[in-house]
Amino acid sequence: MSVSEQVDALQAKVADLKSSLDASRHETNEQIKARVADAKAKADAAKETVHGKADQAADHAHTQWQSLKASNSAKMQELQERAARKRDERDVKAAERDAEQAEDDAADALDYAAWAIDQAEVAVLDAADARAWADARAAASPPS
């Protein structure tokens, strides 16, 4: 899958997340719970496709995200500096290897972002479920 295709897929996931949130506002608690279960199942299945990094990311999502951003920033800076210094000196094969490495880095970051969106969908639906439950409890409680 090319980087462009991965960006398109990521954009579609974000649109699905927005639709899911909008739909949850008009659903019953049971419907939301079913969507949470479905989202969790989807997230668990997607975790296996993130080049083996999703298992670690599930345990350390926040710290790994920070590390990934810093690492990608450093790699991008290094790549830009290297390209600026040696653009005219590099032969076609070296330039191709550099491009493939940069594309691999981008693909890894996009895979992680897709996994993070799956996790965000679970969190958003869990929040919607908690709000629906709290609202139902508040409506059922006698006034103080």
Side-chain angles (χ1 to χ4, degrees), residues 85-103:
R85 281 192 316 266
K86 299 198 177 213
R87 182 169 283 131
D88 294 335
E89 298 172 12
R90 297 207 182 267
D91 64 358
V92 173
K93 288 182 181 180
E96 183 65 26
R97 280 192 309 269
D98 287 347
E100 288 174 4
Q101 182 178 358
E103 289 167 347

Side-chain angles (χ1 to χ4, degrees), residues 4-18:
S4 179
E5 290 168 333
Q6 283 185 297
V7 170
D8 290 343
L10 188 57
Q11 188 174 19
K13 281 183 165 285
V14 171
D16 290 345
L17 173 58
K18 175 72 168 102

Side-chain angles (χ1 to χ4, degrees), residues 5-83:
E5 290 168 333
Q6 283 185 297
V7 170
D8 290 343
L10 188 57
Q11 188 174 19
K13 281 183 165 285
V14 171
D16 290 345
L17 173 58
K18 175 72 168 102
S19 296
S20 182
L21 174 61
D22 292 343
S24 73
R25 291 186 177 135
H26 305 289
E27 293 179 335
T28 66
N29 196 19
E30 291 76 25
Q31 289 170 316
I32 293 172
K33 283 184 187 279
R35 283 157 88 24
V36 168
D38 183 51
K40 283 181 181 178
K42 246 180 25 182
D44 288 342
K47 180 170 63 172
E48 299 302 321
T49 63
V50 185
H51 302 289
K53 294 180 183 177
D55 290 334
Q56 296 169 354
D59 296 330
H60 306 288
H62 180 71
T63 54
Q64 286 205 346
W65 177 243
Q66 296 303 323
S67 174
L68 181 64
K69 288 191 326 187
S71 174
N72 283 342
S73 177
K75 286 178 185 177
M76 194 55 143
Q77 182 68 29
E78 179 186 11
L79 181 63
Q80 289 170 347
E81 290 171 0
R82 198 173 7 168

